[in-house]
Amino acid sequence: MNETFEKIWQEIDKAKSILLTLHPKADADSVGSNLGLMWALESLTPQLPSGQGKKVTVIAGDGPIPSYLKPAPGYERIVNKNIFEVNPEDYDLFLILDLSWLDRLTNKGEFKLPKNWRVINIDHHQGANLVYRQAGLPAQVSWVDTQMPAVGVMIYDLLKFRNIPLTYEISANLILAISGDTGGYKYAGVNGALFTRLADLIEYVPNYSKLIF
């Protein structure tokens, strides 16, 4: 797993402009994972070897963005565009979270990944690697773990590997992601290791119960 984490961070370190997108009919895991990672990548900027900042953009995709997730920190920063409305030249890395099939990326037509984009795929659904085989462009890094109860958990592990300090913004979004995709911690995959992660996140979100409700 450490090798996969290292490859993901190598790609992120090389990137100057990163695009993330919600999937159609976005849920808490899609919104929370993308926003949590957005805040984390922006907090990383001062640590970059190049000394240059990164542009990180989260688009709504097909939308609409669920209004019940407005308490998610950064919700208002989600750009109301779908994948066909972005300029491919504006980005060099596409981070695809919580998307298992190419037709989950958009329902508005056939989308082919631009050849200038490098791609990282992080997901917990069966068959996620097919996104890239169908598109004819394999991901530079593909981390798929069907044992993970939510992508929010995977983002937490990725950030901890890099020793990125947690903040309210990062933690609140990951709590929303995990709570949403586990059905309030009722579904398969909920175990002691998950609650250990949540205990760490909750330290930064004193109003976590109000946030979830």
Side-chain angles (χ1 to χ4, degrees):
M1 187 59 68
N2 285 357
E3 182 180 352
T4 299
F5 288 161
E6 288 173 356
K7 288 180 179 179
I8 290 173
W9 284 115
Q10 286 170 5
E11 291 296 332
I12 290 172
D13 285 341
K14 289 187 293 186
K16 294 181 179 179
S17 186
I18 301 172
L19 179 67
L20 300 102
T21 183
L22 308 183
H23 61 60
K25 298 181 180 178
D27 57 11
D29 197 21
S30 180
V31 173
S33 295
N34 278 286
L35 289 180
L37 185 55
M38 177 194 77
W39 286 111
L41 295 178
E42 291 183 344
S43 74
L44 181 71
T45 297
Q47 307 171 35
L48 297 178
S50 65
Q52 299 176 349
K54 292 187 188 299
K55 176 185 177 184
V56 184
T57 304
V58 179
I59 61 172
D62 289 2
I65 312 167
S67 60
Y68 73 89
L69 289 169
K70 283 183 179 179
Y75 179 94
E76 72 286 350
R77 292 185 53 188
I78 300 173
V79 179
N80 191 25
K81 288 184 177 181
N82 63 54
I83 195 66
F84 293 105
E85 295 174 320
V86 301
N87 182 358
E89 300 302 318
D90 288 343
Y91 306 98
D92 54 12
L93 179 63
F94 191 23
L95 261 161
I96 305 180
L97 311 182
D98 203 31
L99 280 159
S100 56
W101 299 88
L102 189 60
D103 61 6
R104 287 276 285 156
L105 179 60
T106 178
N107 295 319
K108 296 184 179 296
E110 182 181 1
F111 177 75
K112 293 186 177 180
L113 294 167
K115 292 185 178 180
N116 66 301
W117 285 7
R118 298 183 70 80
V119 179
I120 296 173
N121 167 40
I122 300 176
D123 193 28
H124 66 138
H125 294 104
Q126 194 73 37
N129 288 318
L130 292 177
V131 171
Y132 310 99
R133 285 199 287 271
Q134 289 174 343
L137 181 66
Q140 274 66 43
V141 188
S142 184
W143 175 27
V144 179
D145 188 341
T146 58
Q147 301 302 309
M148 287 288 189
V151 172
V153 180
M154 302 172 77
I155 299 303
Y156 171 87
D157 288 353
L158 183 67
L159 303 186
K160 297 300 282 189
F161 176 81
R162 183 68 176 248
N163 294 317
I164 293 179
L166 294 176
T167 63
Y168 174 83
E169 290 79 11
I170 295 170
S171 301
N173 275 297
L174 296 186
I175 288 172
L176 286 170
I178 296 167
S179 174
D181 238 31
T182 60
Y185 320 115
K186 293 181 293 188
Y187 301 154
V190 173
N191 54 29
L194 174 64
F195 284 111
T196 298
R197 295 177 176 101
L198 284 168
D200 190 18
L201 293 168
I202 286 170
E203 288 294 318
Y204 301 86
V205 189
N207 65 330
Y208 76 94
S209 59
K210 181 179 179 182
L211 177 73
I212 292 172
F213 279 110

